[in-house]
Amino acid sequence: MRQAIEKIMSEVTDECVICSLGYISREVYRAKDRDRNFYMLSNMGGCLGFALGLAYSRPDLCVIVIQGDGSALMGLGTLALMQTLKLPNIK
């Protein structure tokens, strides 16, 4: 996981990075802390929903979501919403 996060963050330029709580937030912080990172603490399952709202309301921004399997399972409905919206500015 650490290598994947380091790879993602090494290629980030001006995108907004939304990451879920725990290990992922700590690794993103360690790899490349910056103003456009949002560390979703104390909210398991809310990461993708937050990122979708940001991407929907700000089509000029590219939004990258990094979350774990447990967090994804806590917000399964947002996966369906993401597929329905098909926003071009979220990864």
Side-chain angles (χ1 to χ4, degrees):
M1 172 89 59
R2 173 179 278 184
Q3 292 171 338
I5 290 172
E6 287 175 350
K7 176 69 173 155
I8 292 167
M9 295 308 293
S10 72
E11 296 182 12
V12 166
T13 55
D14 63 340
E15 299 90 349
C16 293
V17 176
I18 314 300
C19 53
S20 64
L21 69 161
Y23 179 80
I24 293 173
S25 284
R26 290 191 303 271
E27 285 302 312
V28 168
Y29 180 85
R30 188 190 61 73
K32 191 174 188 178
D33 182 38
R34 59 198 192 90
D35 289 342
R36 287 196 169 210
N37 291 356
F38 187 83
Y39 306 100
M40 182 69 76
L41 304 176
S42 301
N43 186 356
M44 190 168 188
C47 184
L48 181 57
F50 182 87
L52 281 172
L54 180 61
Y56 186 78
S57 64
R58 292 285 309 271
D60 59 310
L61 295 177
C62 181
V63 180
I64 298 172
V65 182
I66 306 173
Q67 71 175 3
D69 56 348
S71 185
L73 288 172
M74 295 292 290
L76 283 176
T78 55
L79 290 173
L81 179 60
M82 185 172 119
Q83 182 61 30
T84 300
L85 293 175
K86 293 184 181 0
L87 299 173
N89 60 329
I90 191 165
K91 298 178 185 178

